């Protein structure tokens, strides 16, 4: 038994005729009939019975054909996944933080290839440790890794340990993102203690290690118990900020268009003096390719536009 014989059987089943199946397979009917008989002899059952309308599966044959469908389907899927790509194929996989400036740049980048015949772009938002693991394992071509600058030595050591090179992308201070109707939205610089009692939206797999703002400044602790909503996808955060009155989220600086489109505002907080860095990490032995560099250039332009 081989895959070719299984494909013969499936074509006969599809057409209901050995003659038609032989024509579709570009082979003589006697050769096809012989191949079927040899296979039936090998497996010990009769797969097809003749009828006035052609051929149809026997009860055992139908059972056998159902397994054949599964096998051929899985083989076709394997071939599709791992067959060589054409030279002009657009392929790229990246792991990034949940940052609107990156997703905006990626959308503009992906739009360039709408008319290309072969496109396989993969965009994964994940934590800092997840991004490092993705690029180290080869799942991603490159990653954007976010960390607080006080932990830069830790992450530099981690990247070198994983045989990854890196280059700086930008350094920034976190900002507060909230609804334009938030009770504190009228402040240009929100006093940290005034966030007490409001609900913080937190990405559940945020970077490790990190310090909370209350740990950075022990005098800035809240007078009331903290309220937090943990989320694991960026898509829900805007809806929550709009619907959950008084909610807020710490974010990197964002494109104005994204903020305004979602009815939100960005506000500074005097406590947020701790700098953060986004760096590009990639395998030491596999430099970033042409498409990866094009995406990075687009991301850098997005950062420049935020800086104004």
């Amino acid at each position: 038994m081989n895959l070719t014989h299984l494909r013969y059987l499936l074509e006969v089943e599809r057409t209901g005729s050995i003659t038609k199946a032989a024509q579709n397979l570009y082979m003589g009917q006697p050769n096809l009939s012989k191949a079927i008989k040899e296979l039936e002899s090998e497996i010990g059952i009769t797969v097809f019975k003749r009828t006035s309308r052609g051929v149809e599966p026997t009860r055992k044959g139908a059972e056998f054909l159902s397994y054949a469908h599964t096998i051929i389907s899985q083989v076709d899927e394997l071939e599709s996944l791992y067959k060589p790509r054409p030279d002009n194929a657009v392929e790229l996989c990246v792991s990034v933080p949940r940052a609107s400036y990156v997703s905006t740049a990626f959308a503009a980048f992906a739009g360039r290839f709408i008319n290309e015949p072969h496109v396989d772009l993969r965009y994964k938002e994940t934590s800092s440790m997840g991004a490092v693991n993705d690029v180290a394992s080869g799942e991603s071509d490159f990653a954007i890794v976010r960390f607080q600058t006080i932990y830069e030595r830790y992450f530099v050591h981690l990247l070198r340990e994983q045989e990854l090179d890196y280059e700086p992308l930008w350094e920034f201070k976190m900002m507060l993102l909230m609804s334009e109707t938030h009770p504190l939205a009228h402040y240009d610089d929100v006093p940290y203690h005034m966030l007490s009692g409001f609900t913080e939206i937190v990405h559940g797999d945020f970077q490790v290690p990190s310090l909370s703002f209350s740990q950075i400044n022990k005098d800035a602790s809240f007078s009331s118990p903290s309220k937090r909503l943990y989320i694991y996808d960026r898509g829900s955060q805007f809806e929550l900020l709009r619907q959950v009155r008084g909610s807020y989220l710490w974010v990197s600086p964002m494109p104005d268009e994204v903020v305004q489109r979602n009815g939100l505002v960005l506000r500074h907080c005097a406590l947020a003096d701790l700098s953060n860095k986004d760096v590009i990490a990639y395998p030491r032995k596999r430099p970033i390719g042409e498409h990866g560099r094009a995406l990075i250039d687009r991301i850098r332009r997005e950062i420049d536009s935020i800086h104004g």
Side-chain angles (χ1 to χ4, degrees):
M1 187 192 310
N2 59 48
L3 294 176
T4 300
H5 286 163
L6 292 183
R7 294 186 188 276
Y8 289 170
L9 292 180
L10 296 182
E11 184 62 23
V12 173
E13 180 194 26
R14 189 183 72 82
T15 61
S17 166
I18 294 179
T19 300
K20 290 180 181 179
Q23 292 172 351
N24 293 342
L25 293 168
Y26 300 100
M27 63 187 301
Q29 179 180 337
N31 290 336
L32 178 57
S33 296
K34 180 181 178 183
I36 293 174
K37 287 187 180 297
E38 289 177 350
L39 179 58
E40 288 178 330
S41 176
E42 183 178 349
I43 61 179
I45 66 170
T46 299
V47 179
F48 296 107
K49 61 183 178 182
R50 293 188 178 274
T51 69
S52 58
R53 297 184 301 276
V55 296
E56 63 181 34
T58 62
R59 183 177 63 82
K60 285 286 188 181
E63 182 180 305
F64 179 84
L65 289 169
S66 70
Y67 285 110
H69 274 290
T70 300
I71 293 170
I72 294 300
S73 175
Q74 291 175 340
V75 169
D76 289 343
E77 184 175 357
L78 278 173
E79 290 178 348
S80 175
L81 287 172
Y82 298 107
K83 68 181 179 182
R85 304 290 186 181
D87 292 338
N88 63 345
V90 179
E91 293 183 301
L92 185 66
C93 182
V94 297
S95 294
V96 300
R98 296 178 176 89
S100 294
Y101 84 91
V102 182
S103 63
T104 299
F106 182 81
F109 167 78
R112 296 169 43 192
F113 304 106
I114 190 171
N115 294 320
E116 296 293 331
H118 301 282
V119 180
D120 187 353
L121 300 177
R122 306 187 186 197
Y123 181 85
K124 180 180 179 182
E125 294 185 333
T126 184
S127 64
S128 299
M129 301 304 291
V132 172
N133 291 335
D134 285 346
V135 74
S137 67
E139 182 175 335
S140 293
D141 296 292
F142 73 86
I144 296 178
V145 181
R146 173 169 295 180
F147 52 80
Q148 296 169 346
T149 52
I150 58 173
Y151 289 115
E152 184 167 1
R153 290 181 63 186
Y154 169 87
F155 275 94
V156 168
H157 175 76
L158 176 64
L159 294 174
R160 288 174 177 168
E161 191 177 60
Q162 297 292 335
E163 297 186 346
L164 301 177
D165 281 337
Y166 72 96
E167 56 191 63
L169 189 55
W170 71 328
E171 185 171 334
F172 57 90
K173 294 178 181 178
M174 300 294 277
M175 301 184 71
L176 288 167
L177 182 67
M178 59 183 64
S179 169
E180 59 188 9
T181 63
H182 193 288
L184 302 179
H186 64 283
Y187 285 92
D188 291 329
D189 195 326
V190 178
Y192 180 75
H193 72 274
M194 295 193 72
L195 293 172
S196 177
F198 291 110
T199 301
E200 180 182 5
I201 296 174
V202 181
H203 291 134
D205 57 353
F206 192 60
Q207 66 227 27
V208 178
S210 66
L211 292 178
S212 69
F213 287 101
S214 59
Q215 288 173 301
I216 296 168
N217 186 340
K218 294 181 180 179
D219 296 330
S221 59
F222 286 153
S223 59
S224 61
S226 61
K227 300 179 183 178
R228 290 192 176 93
L229 289 177
Y230 290 89
I231 60 174
Y232 292 84
D233 65 286
R234 191 170 54 87
S236 62
Q237 65 188 26
F238 296 145
E239 190 64 28
L240 287 170
L241 289 168
R242 289 193 298 265
Q243 297 296 330
V244 180
R245 178 171 171 76
S247 61
Y248 66 93
L249 175 70
W250 291 100
V251 298
S252 55
M254 295 171 57
D256 289 338
E257 187 275 331
V258 176
V259 175
Q260 295 168 7
R261 169 162 38 93
N262 288 281
L264 305 172
V265 293
L266 278 174
R267 294 293 181 257
H268 294 282
C269 178
L271 187 67
D273 288 333
L274 187 67
S275 293
N276 294 261
K277 277 189 176 182
D278 284 352
V279 302
I280 300 163
Y282 53 92
R284 188 172 301 155
K285 298 179 180 178
R286 193 177 71 247
I288 300 173
E290 174 188 357
H291 296 307
R293 281 296 167 192
L295 173 56
I296 292 171
D297 288 344
R298 185 64 187 80
I299 292 172
R300 291 189 186 280
R301 291 202 300 274
E302 194 65 42
I303 293 173
D304 290 341
S305 71
I306 291 174
H307 285 158

